[in-house]
PDB file of all heavy atoms in Angstrom:
ATOM      1  N   THR A 539     158.090 121.605 104.922  1.00 89.00           N
ATOM      2  CA  THR A 539     158.593 122.499 106.072  1.00 89.00           C
ATOM      3  C   THR A 539     157.865 122.269 107.288  1.00 89.00           C
ATOM      4  O   THR A 539     158.214 122.982 108.384  1.00 89.00           O
ATOM      5  CB  THR A 539     158.436 124.019 105.588  1.00 89.00           C
ATOM      6  OG1 THR A 539     157.192 124.385 105.421  1.00 89.00           O
ATOM      7  CG2 THR A 539     159.181 124.196 104.274  1.00 89.00           C
ATOM      8  N   LEU A 540     156.674 121.570 107.382  1.00 91.00           N
ATOM      9  CA  LEU A 540     155.906 121.555 108.519  1.00 91.00           C
ATOM     10  C   LEU A 540     156.277 120.428 109.470  1.00 91.00           C
ATOM     11  O   LEU A 540     156.200 119.098 109.058  1.00 91.00           O
ATOM     12  CB  LEU A 540     154.444 121.349 108.166  1.00 91.00           C
ATOM     13  CG  LEU A 540     153.451 121.222 109.332  1.00 91.00           C
ATOM     14  CD1 LEU A 540     153.312 122.691 109.978  1.00 91.00           C
ATOM     15  CD2 LEU A 540     152.050 120.797 108.865  1.00 91.00           C
ATOM     16  N   PRO A 541     156.763 120.736 110.629  1.00 95.00           N
ATOM     17  CA  PRO A 541     157.033 119.652 111.610  1.00 95.00           C
ATOM     18  C   PRO A 541     155.728 119.057 112.123  1.00 95.00           C
ATOM     19  O   PRO A 541     154.789 119.804 112.514  1.00 95.00           O
ATOM     20  CB  PRO A 541     157.792 120.316 112.719  1.00 95.00           C
ATOM     21  CG  PRO A 541     158.279 121.574 112.250  1.00 95.00           C
ATOM     22  CD  PRO A 541     157.329 121.970 111.198  1.00 95.00           C
ATOM     23  N   VAL A 542     155.553 117.749 112.185  1.00 95.00           N
ATOM     24  CA  VAL A 542     154.414 117.073 112.667  1.00 95.00           C
ATOM     25  C   VAL A 542     154.830 116.116 113.938  1.00 95.00           C
ATOM     26  O   VAL A 542     155.493 115.142 113.586  1.00 95.00           O
ATOM     27  CB  VAL A 542     153.645 116.172 111.462  1.00 95.00           C
ATOM     28  CG1 VAL A 542     152.390 115.637 112.080  1.00 95.00           C
ATOM     29  CG2 VAL A 542     153.274 117.230 110.288  1.00 95.00           C
ATOM     30  N   VAL A 543     154.380 116.490 114.937  1.00 97.00           N
ATOM     31  CA  VAL A 543     154.680 115.722 116.214  1.00 97.00           C
ATOM     32  C   VAL A 543     153.530 114.699 116.378  1.00 97.00           C
ATOM     33  O   VAL A 543     152.392 115.061 116.527  1.00 97.00           O
ATOM     34  CB  VAL A 543     154.821 116.570 117.407  1.00 97.00           C
ATOM     35  CG1 VAL A 543     155.114 115.772 118.680  1.00 97.00           C
ATOM     36  CG2 VAL A 543     155.849 117.665 117.285  1.00 97.00           C
ATOM     37  N   VAL A 544     153.970 113.365 116.300  1.00 96.00           N
ATOM     38  CA  VAL A 544     152.997 112.336 116.292  1.00 96.00           C
ATOM     39  C   VAL A 544     153.199 111.539 117.569  1.00 96.00           C
ATOM     40  O   VAL A 544     154.256 111.124 117.912  1.00 96.00           O
ATOM     41  CB  VAL A 544     153.144 111.467 115.091  1.00 96.00           C
ATOM     42  CG1 VAL A 544     152.180 110.296 115.203  1.00 96.00           C
ATOM     43  CG2 VAL A 544     152.941 112.182 113.785  1.00 96.00           C
ATOM     44  N   LEU A 545     152.037 111.380 118.344  1.00 97.00           N
ATOM     45  CA  LEU A 545     152.045 110.672 119.629  1.00 97.00           C
ATOM     46  C   LEU A 545     151.752 109.195 119.200  1.00 97.00           C
ATOM     47  O   LEU A 545     150.644 108.870 118.861  1.00 97.00           O
ATOM     48  CB  LEU A 545     151.169 111.096 120.593  1.00 97.00           C
ATOM     49  CG  LEU A 545     151.626 112.336 121.402  1.00 97.00           C
ATOM     50  CD1 LEU A 545     151.765 113.568 120.577  1.00 97.00           C
ATOM     51  CD2 LEU A 545     150.692 112.662 122.560  1.00 97.00           C
ATOM     52  N   ALA A 546     152.690 108.163 119.332  1.00 96.00           N
ATOM     53  CA  ALA A 546     152.495 106.945 118.729  1.00 96.00           C
ATOM     54  C   ALA A 546     153.096 105.757 119.619  1.00 96.00           C
ATOM     55  O   ALA A 546     154.030 104.942 119.168  1.00 96.00           O
ATOM     56  CB  ALA A 546     153.130 106.682 117.238  1.00 96.00           C
ATOM     57  N   PRO A 547     152.677 105.779 120.917  1.00 95.00           N
ATOM     58  CA  PRO A 547     153.182 104.628 121.787  1.00 95.00           C
ATOM     59  C   PRO A 547     152.573 103.337 121.226  1.00 95.00           C
ATOM     60  O   PRO A 547     151.540 103.254 120.502  1.00 95.00           O
ATOM     61  CB  PRO A 547     152.644 105.010 123.075  1.00 95.00           C
ATOM     62  CG  PRO A 547     151.400 105.942 122.759  1.00 95.00           C
ATOM     63  CD  PRO A 547     151.655 106.627 121.482  1.00 95.00           C
ATOM     64  N   ARG A 548     153.158 102.168 121.725  1.00 93.00           N
ATOM     65  CA  ARG A 548     152.578 100.910 121.320  1.00 93.00           C
ATOM     66  C   ARG A 548     151.360 100.610 122.146  1.00 93.00           C
ATOM     67  O   ARG A 548     151.511  99.946 123.155  1.00 93.00           O
ATOM     68  CB  ARG A 548     153.693  99.829 121.438  1.00 93.00           C
ATOM     69  CG  ARG A 548     154.584  99.663 120.218  1.00 93.00           C
ATOM     70  CD  ARG A 548     155.312  98.423 120.160  1.00 93.00           C
ATOM     71  NE  ARG A 548     156.036  98.132 118.968  1.00 93.00           N
ATOM     72  CZ  ARG A 548     155.485  97.670 117.857  1.00 93.00           C
ATOM     73  NH1 ARG A 548     154.350  97.155 117.960  1.00 93.00           N
ATOM     74  NH2 ARG A 548     156.282  97.365 116.812  1.00 93.00           N
ATOM     75  N   ASP A 549     150.249 101.017 121.737  1.00 91.00           N
ATOM     76  CA  ASP A 549     149.038 100.661 122.399  1.00 91.00           C
ATOM     77  C   ASP A 549     148.028 100.097 121.428  1.00 91.00           C
ATOM     78  O   ASP A 549     148.380  99.911 120.340  1.00 91.00           O
ATOM     79  CB  ASP A 549     148.512 102.006 123.153  1.00 91.00           C
ATOM     80  CG  ASP A 549     148.216 103.177 122.227  1.00 91.00           C
ATOM     81  OD1 ASP A 549     148.195 102.971 120.964  1.00 91.00           O
ATOM     82  OD2 ASP A 549     148.016 104.171 122.661  1.00 91.00           O
ATOM     83  N   ARG A 550     146.777 100.061 121.799  1.00 91.00           N
ATOM     84  CA  ARG A 550     145.755  99.434 120.872  1.00 91.00           C
ATOM     85  C   ARG A 550     145.468 100.222 119.636  1.00 91.00           C
ATOM     86  O   ARG A 550     145.034  99.662 118.666  1.00 91.00           O
ATOM     87  CB  ARG A 550     144.427  99.173 121.609  1.00 91.00           C
ATOM     88  CG  ARG A 550     143.828 100.378 122.225  1.00 91.00           C
ATOM     89  CD  ARG A 550     142.668 100.065 123.129  1.00 91.00           C
ATOM     90  NE  ARG A 550     142.022 101.294 123.622  1.00 91.00           N
ATOM     91  CZ  ARG A 550     141.109 101.932 123.021  1.00 91.00           C
ATOM     92  NH1 ARG A 550     140.701 101.563 121.809  1.00 91.00           N
ATOM     93  NH2 ARG A 550     140.628 103.059 123.603  1.00 91.00           N
TER      94      ARG A 550
END
Side-chain angles (χ1 to χ4, degrees):
T539 67
L540 180 72
V542 182
V543 179
V544 178
L545 281 65
R548 273 197 173 274
D549 58 15
R550 60 188 179 85

